[in-house]
Every structure is written in structure tokens, then in C-alpha cells.
Amino acid sequence: MGNYLLINFKTYKEGTGKNGFKIGKIAEKLSKKTNVNIILCVQSADIRLFSSLSLPVYSQHIDPITYGANTGWILPEAIKEAGAKGTLLNHSEHQIDYKTLSLSVKRAKETGLKTVVCIDKPGKAKKTAKLNPDFIAIEPPELIGGNISVSKAKPEIITKTINNVNSVKKIPVLIGAGIKNREDVKKGIKLGAKGVLIASGVVKASDLEKAIKNILEGFNV
Ligand code: G3P
């Protein structure tokens, strides 16, 4: 199956539109020299822009709606047609209630989109695993955007999440929050994570190529 590096572009200026596409191009180039699966989580408005790249693109959110009168909502079919292969759901910055989450996972499956469901606490892992998403990502909100990684600051959160998920179903667990370098990645992978979600460590890096290369090195444990 290999490991995963998900780059979350959020709505950073550096990750929006043409700026974001530059990150995608560099990630694509580096993906040719690694076995790590790189996935780009971009804004819905930018999905089509990335269609010339070989890397899978995920939406940052979808709504559990179907075709019809739903002004301003994100239709899973539209995301799919634009070129997305999957979606993040319930990110700390876009939380949804369990019922909405459950319907969103269902709609994503119907549409053929992969799902990465984010949780902020290991205590939510079992209930989330019951929805059977493709990935579960643990991100402690207080570490998001900072320089101290979840793997260094809260390794027990990673272990607990993996154990809780596995007690329901074997679903790959990803980790995110504060991950900046190879050591952060290495630690997480050693603890059993299948991959990492990174935003600021890549999107806001002054040398994009150097930052992504450094992170990719962390997977060689
Ligand atoms: O989805 C990943 C993100 O929330 C982590 O952000 O900036 O801490 O890498 P960051």
C-alpha cells in the first residue's frame, strides 16, 4: 500500500490558484523519485487547475447533497467531474456533526470519492471507524500551524488512535499538526501511522523543493 503524504493547501495565499499549482508541480516532480503516495488537498475552485498533473487531487470538503437546488454547497459529483479523487471531511477548520459526516462519507462512496475523515481526539476514533472511511486522520487542533509536531508532542495520541481504530476495523491512520521535517514524519511512521497531512510546513516554506524533499526522507525508516 505504501505511505502517504497529503499536502493540505488550506486557503493560504501561497496555496491558492497559480501559487498552489507551483507547489503541485514541484510535488509531482519529486513524486517520481519516491514510493510515497503524494496527494494534493486543494480548494474546490482550484481542482480543475490541477488536472494536468499526475498526482491525485482531493477536495478539502464536500456536502452531503445531491443534484438540485443547493446554492453555495459543494456537490460530490461536481468535485468528481472536476477531477478530484477524494475529499477531506471534518477537518478541525471545517467540523461537521456526526450525522452530516456519516451522510458525507456515504455520498462520497456513491460518487467514487475516497474519504479522509479528520478527528481531533482519539476518543472519536471508534465511532469514526464505524463509518468505514478510507483513512482516518488525527490532528490535535492546538498543534495545527505550529512548529511542534503531534508525533513529538503527543505520541500517545497517535498510538491511542491507531489502537481504537484497529479495535473496530483496519483503516489506515494518518497524522497531522505541526509536522515540519523528516524527524517528525519518521517518529509518526514508527508509531504506526500510514502517512502525514502537512499544510504550513510545505505551503509556507521558503524553499518548497527542499521542504518536500526533507519530509519525504522521513518515510525511509
Ligand atoms: O490538514 C493538515 C493541517 O491541519 C496541519 O496543518 O500547518 O500544522 O501542517 P500544519
Side-chain angles (χ1 to χ4, degrees), residues 5-10 139 175-181 185 196-203 215 219:
L5 165 59
L6 276 71
I7 304 174
N8 183 355
F9 291 50
K10 302 201 173 183
E139 294 196 16
I175 58 166
I179 295 175
K180 292 284 181 294
N181 55 46
V185 176
V196 297
L197 270 127
I198 302 184
S200 52
V202 169
V203 180
I215 285 156
F219 289 94

Side-chain angles (χ1 to χ4, degrees), residues 6-44:
L6 276 71
I7 304 174
N8 183 355
F9 291 50
K10 302 201 173 183
T11 54
Y12 286 129
K13 187 173 183 190
E14 298 87 340
T16 299
K18 286 179 197 148
N19 290 340
F21 188 70
K22 278 187 210 151
I23 302 174
K25 280 292 265 183
I26 294 170
E28 182 185 53
K29 185 177 106 181
L30 296 175
S31 74
K32 307 218 155 76
K33 298 176 199 149
T34 175
N35 293 327
V36 178
N37 303 290
I38 304 180
I39 297 173
L40 310 173
C41 306
V42 308
Q43 292 170 52
S44 313

Side-chain angles (χ1 to χ4, degrees), residues 86-188:
T87 185
L88 299 181
L89 284 170
N90 195 43
H91 190 278
S92 270
E93 292 148 13
H94 199 146
Q95 291 187 48
I96 49 181
D97 60 55
Y98 188 74
K99 189 168 172 240
T100 309
L101 177 61
S102 165
L103 288 169
S104 301
V105 171
K106 190 168 165 272
R107 287 291 294 117
K109 284 180 195 285
E110 283 166 7
T111 319
L113 292 167
K114 300 267 186 207
T115 47
V116 179
V117 175
C118 304
I119 54 171
D120 54 3
K121 292 182 185 75
K124 296 185 182 168
K126 285 188 190 177
K127 219 175 156 192
T128 304
K130 288 186 184 138
L131 300 177
N132 197 19
D134 295 284
F135 302 91
I136 293 177
I138 175 79
E139 294 196 16
E142 66 280 10
L143 297 175
I144 293 178
N147 284 321
I148 303 165
S149 70
V150 56
S151 46
K152 279 196 184 138
K154 303 207 163 160
E156 69 286 354
I157 282 189
I158 300 174
T159 318
K160 266 191 208 158
T161 302
I162 294 173
N163 290 340
N164 287 350
V165 168
N166 286 347
S167 72
V168 176
K169 195 163 195 280
K170 269 222 164 296
I171 295 169
V173 171
L174 310 176
I175 58 166
I179 295 175
K180 292 284 181 294
N181 55 46
R182 64 167 90 87
E183 290 312 317
D184 297 330
V185 176
K186 204 174 195 165
K187 203 146 194 283

